[in-house]
Amino acid sequence: MAMEHLRWRPTVNERDFIERALQSDLRVDGRNSFDFRTLKITFGREDGTSEVQLGETHVMAYVTAQLVQPYWDRPNEGTLAIFTEFSPMADPAFEAGRPGESAIELGRVIDRGLRPSRAVDMESLCVVAGRHVWSVRVDLHILDNGGNLIDAANIAALAALSTFRRPECTVGGDDGQQVIVHDPEVRDPIPLTIHHMPIAVTFAYFGEGNIVVLDPTYKEEAVMGGRVSATINSNGDVCAIQKAGVEGVMSGVIMQCLRIASVKAADITSKIKKAVKLCISPAQASCRRPQQHRQHPILVQERQTSLAPPDSAPMVEASSEEDAQPVTESSNAEAKSTSSTGAIGESDEAQEIGSPKSLKDAIKPKHKRKKKVAG
Amino acid sequence: MESRRPPPSPFVENYVVPGDVVLDLSEMTNQTIKLGAGLRQECDTIQATSSGKLRLSKPNKYWVESSQKRYTPSVEDTVLGIVVDTKPDNFLVDIKGPNLAFLPVLAFEGGTRRNIPKFEIGTLIYARVVKANSIMNPELSCMDATGKAAEFGQLKDGYMFDTSTGMSRMLLSSPTCPVLEALGKKLSFEIAVGLNGRVWVNAPAPNTVILVSNAIIRSESLSGIKQRAMVENLLQKLT
């Protein structure tokens, strides 16, 4: 009961008014039915950190990677996992600790949009087939719940994955099985290969399923009858659809929503790419400044099975920035992004897992870490 | 009598932070000074305990005004509450404070055990705070001090939104706040402002309600002139 009164409930007045206004095609914040709120994408200092503000909703994404053993039925592929955390500062109804139902649902919806559609190339994450692959982990933190967490969190995950770079590693040593993870100071880290950007677009249904709006706010979400989230990329490929809520929806309405979603997806994809481009280009130039070495502790370890001296290749490679994502020229003034300065500071650990893993272990991953700090 | 009047504190109508010495009592004798929220007496001085603007109400009432999202209930405030639960003796009402408030079922004009109003969960109520301290749940009433209804009670239709407490004080200030004045010249609407940071707006057309509520929400950080300009802008877009 202590926390119960903090949960916000809509008043009878708000519920009636929102529905009545929607009958006349009016939304409470003055938007059109199919308008997104203002989108702002910013990036943090480290690679793979992004913050997205969609109206009042505020989400942060954080991407990390570590070397693991692959699943036994996919020995050539890396893995991608999404974790969500609903911070209590986002909403009085969120509690700290174990993720609740809505947190798990959010993680699942985003995961289904990104993984099966192969947005991130998994085969390029393989280092030694069957022994070492990169496991990419995306952590989504909800900082402020202003409605439509799915769309905002998806954009944050994509923006973070686009700017994330993993350390370069080479296979060498006596038996060709030793993996040497190179320090990012020594060799430039490598960005992920992203084939396409699946964008989630959420529609809320009111009335008897005949009133549809895009990007619901917090109050609209409390009053809506049902919701459909469609994950579409700019080519028009539908990557995932999820329908929640009790209200039934006509198939014609869903098809119309998919058409609208593909238009919006193209728009948002261009905004993300523009923001990423602005972030990456100054970062390349400031890559080798000495003061940044002091700021970020170097945690990358060089792991070898023999006692041979570490393979220190001091060759400084020219920054090999592969243009994984084609940069589109779009002059969309709404996406604002601030560029980050540092591109150094990966914190990765080379690790080895004892037992062979299969897809069953996806349900309960067991990570046994053995840390070895090279001198 | 002139010499007896306390020298006005240099902080009046200025911002203070906790620890600022607002008044020095050793200079004043035989004065009665009333302290409101955010002030405390420390031996011979009055110090601020919260940050905000120091206000003086002649002749001798001082308090610190700050603007927050949360509301600290204080007596004689008019607030907008949402009914959360009904009990045999009280309605439990949420007023954005640390505790739920109690509204006795008989605290209505002509209220008896026979004509208890039926409020469902989610009803919006305009009420007055009768008792408030940090220990107990605050108590509300839907009557004024003389026992008349005086506009208190359930608010029907319309739309409610949240603002900060400073914004609701500004909306209630006299002379009329610039944004309300500018809106009132062209549109007709009714409005109820709760000091707990809730505002209710009603008008015959939903269009008007949406425009008024958005104008008020946006005017929080604007000066008087900018508020008027913003309202002009919005009205022009409509017509």
Side-chain angles (χ1 to χ4, degrees):
Chain A
M1 187 59 194
M3 287 295 144
E4 264 303 302
H5 79 277
L6 291 175
R7 281 190 58 233
W8 177 80
R9 293 169 196 79
T11 54
V12 172
N13 312 49
E14 281 164 305
R15 196 182 291 269
D16 290 341
F17 181 75
I18 292 178
E19 290 190 0
R20 201 155 59 94
L22 283 172
Q23 309 269 352
S24 346
D25 260 343
L26 292 169
R27 285 178 88 169
V28 172
D29 52 358
R31 279 187 287 158
N32 290 326
S33 297
F34 297 113
D35 272 352
F36 261 99
R37 290 171 285 179
T38 319
L39 175 64
K40 180 173 162 192
I41 307 175
T42 53
F43 297 92
R45 268 222 208 138
E46 297 182 10
D47 287 335
T49 55
S50 73
E51 249 182 67
V52 165
Q53 278 174 284
L54 182 63
E56 297 216 342
T57 305
H58 203 146
V59 180
M60 192 178 92
Y62 191 66
V63 178
T64 47
Q66 54 188 12
L67 278 177
V68 300
Q69 252 198 358
Y71 295 125
W72 66 266
D73 48 353
R74 305 264 166 111
N76 293 330
E77 293 185 3
T79 60
L80 174 68
I82 314 269
F83 294 88
T84 54
E85 197 177 299
F86 276 26
S87 162
M89 70 173 150
D91 192 334
F94 296 165
E95 281 165 15
R98 288 182 61 91
E101 236 181 64
S102 38
I104 298 180
E105 187 188 2
L106 176 75
R108 285 288 299 149
V109 170
I110 296 182
D111 178 78
R112 251 208 330 256
L114 287 182
R115 249 188 330 120
S117 63
R118 304 198 166 265
V120 180
D121 185 57
M122 290 288 127
E123 288 176 353
S124 62
L125 295 178
C126 175
V127 180
V128 176
R131 299 274 310 267
H132 299 286
V133 298
W134 285 105
S135 164
V136 178
R137 174 188 167 124
V138 182
D139 281 285
L140 295 164
H141 294 266
I142 312 293
L143 302 176
D144 200 353
N145 182 10
N148 199 7
L149 290 174
I150 294 180
D151 293 7
N154 193 321
I155 296 175
L158 285 170
L161 284 167
S162 306
T163 56
F164 174 68
R165 299 190 300 168
R166 60 169 176 86
E168 183 174 348
C169 45
T170 47
V171 181
D174 299 335
D175 52 355
Q177 293 288 318
Q178 293 162 20
V179 178
I180 304 149
V181 178
H182 294 285
D183 190 307
E185 318 276 315
V186 169
R187 289 209 195 175
D188 269 342
I190 305 173
L192 299 172
T193 309
I194 299 188
H195 295 303
H196 63 98
M197 294 218 173
I199 308 280
V201 179
T202 300
F203 297 86
Y205 293 91
F206 298 86
E208 263 98 49
N210 45 5
I211 304 177
V212 184
V213 298
L214 182 69
D215 188 18
T217 60
Y218 189 60
K219 288 195 177 178
E220 285 169 343
E221 270 187 352
V223 174
M224 70 184 175
R227 142 177 90 76
V228 164
S229 293
T231 310
I232 297 193
N233 66 14
S234 50
N235 292 336
D237 304 323
V238 176
C239 306
I241 301 188
Q242 193 230 19
K243 177 193 174 298
V246 175
E247 292 255 353
V249 179
M250 307 282 286
S251 58
V253 177
I254 294 200
M255 293 310 294
Q256 185 206 7
C257 291
L258 287 180
R259 277 190 284 272
I260 297 173
S262 64
V263 172
K264 296 290 171 184
D267 184 35
I268 294 184
T269 309
S270 66
K271 283 183 190 167
I272 298 179
K273 287 184 177 168
K274 186 173 169 210
V276 168
K277 182 184 172 197
L278 280 174
C279 162
I280 284 189
S281 29
Q284 272 184 300
S286 63
C287 213
R288 296 262 171 253
R289 286 210 200 109
Q291 56 262 35
Q292 280 164 351
H293 293 194
R294 272 181 253 126
Q295 281 172 12
H296 301 278
I298 295 164
L299 293 173
V300 173
Q301 299 151 3
E302 300 194 340
R303 168 151 172 62
Q304 288 175 293
T305 49
S306 70
L307 289 174
D311 177 23
S312 57
M315 41 186 238
V316 174
E317 286 188 8
S319 14
S320 54
E321 173 65 42
E322 31 177 299
D323 247 14
Q325 46 271 17
V327 172
T328 57
E329 317 275 309
S330 103
S331 55
N332 221 317
E334 279 182 18
K336 303 173 211 134
S337 66
T338 59
S339 45
S340 63
T341 52
I344 311 172
E346 293 283 354
S347 57
D348 292 306
E349 295 163 4
Q351 71 171 44
E352 181 163 58
I353 306 217
S355 53
K357 288 175 60 170
S358 71
L359 276 176
K360 293 195 207 108
D361 286 340
I363 303 166
K364 254 168 76 174
K366 301 180 185 91
H367 289 292
K368 293 170 200 144
R369 291 189 188 170
K370 293 177 198 163
K371 287 190 198 173
K372 260 199 202 171
V373 181
Chain B
M1 285 304 279
E2 241 345 273
S3 54
R4 282 263 190 98
R5 200 164 286 172
S9 163
F11 283 109
V12 172
E13 299 300 325
N14 282 332
Y15 289 99
V16 293
V17 289
D20 279 347
V21 173
V22 159
L23 283 177
D24 199 359
L25 295 175
S26 53
E27 293 171 16
M28 305 181 244
T29 47
N30 283 353
Q31 300 285 350
T32 322
I33 300 189
K34 290 189 190 160
L35 296 183
L39 292 172
R40 206 162 79 109
Q41 179 178 8
E42 300 265 347
C43 306
D44 259 354
T45 59
I46 309 278
Q47 286 187 12
T49 56
S50 60
S51 46
K53 215 182 210 187
L54 180 67
R55 304 292 308 278
L56 162 65
S57 158
K58 298 278 173 81
N60 55 5
K61 184 165 181 191
Y62 291 89
W63 73 96
V64 177
E65 225 170 59
S66 51
S67 176
Q68 284 143 350
K69 269 187 175 179
R70 284 182 189 265
Y71 169 64
T72 319
S74 72
V75 185
E76 290 306 317
D77 278 354
T78 49
V79 297
L80 255 59
I82 304 179
V83 174
V84 170
D85 201 2
T86 47
K87 291 268 154 72
D89 275 341
N90 297 314
F91 297 108
L92 297 184
V93 179
D94 160 39
I95 53 173
K96 277 173 87 169
N99 294 320
L100 285 176
F102 293 155
L103 172 60
V105 297
L106 300 175
F108 296 85
E109 181 177 2
T112 60
R113 277 273 150 203
R114 293 222 183 129
N115 56 357
I116 296 178
K118 292 188 180 47
F119 292 148
E120 56 174 359
I121 294 185
T123 313
L124 188 62
I125 308 250
Y126 186 60
R128 182 174 67 98
V129 178
V130 171
K131 273 193 219 159
N133 53 43
S134 51
I135 315 163
M136 307 188 315
N137 297 59
E139 199 179 295
L140 307 175
S141 166
C142 276
M143 291 186 291
D144 65 6
T146 60
K148 300 283 180 197
E151 313 285 339
F152 292 118
Q154 181 185 8
L155 294 171
K156 296 202 173 111
D157 298 329
Y159 177 65
M160 186 202 74
F161 56 94
D162 284 351
T163 63
S164 67
T165 49
M167 180 73 197
S168 39
R169 277 195 299 267
M170 184 176 79
L171 288 172
L172 286 173
S173 62
S174 63
T176 322
C177 165
V179 67
L180 287 180
E181 206 184 308
L183 286 168
K185 278 190 196 153
K186 299 283 175 61
L187 305 166
S188 78
F189 56 93
E190 37 169 346
I191 181 171
V193 180
L195 283 164
N196 56 342
R198 288 198 173 131
V199 180
W200 172 85
V201 179
N202 193 12
N207 224 339
T208 317
V209 174
I210 292 176
L211 190 122
V212 170
S213 56
N214 279 315
I216 294 177
I217 291 174
R218 278 193 220 176
S219 66
E220 173 136 21
S221 48
L222 301 176
S223 68
I225 309 172
K226 286 191 189 163
Q227 284 179 15
R228 278 181 240 268
M230 186 238 338
V231 172
E232 290 280 333
N233 233 344
L234 279 180
L235 288 171
Q236 267 172 11
K237 275 192 201 165
L238 251 202
T239 54

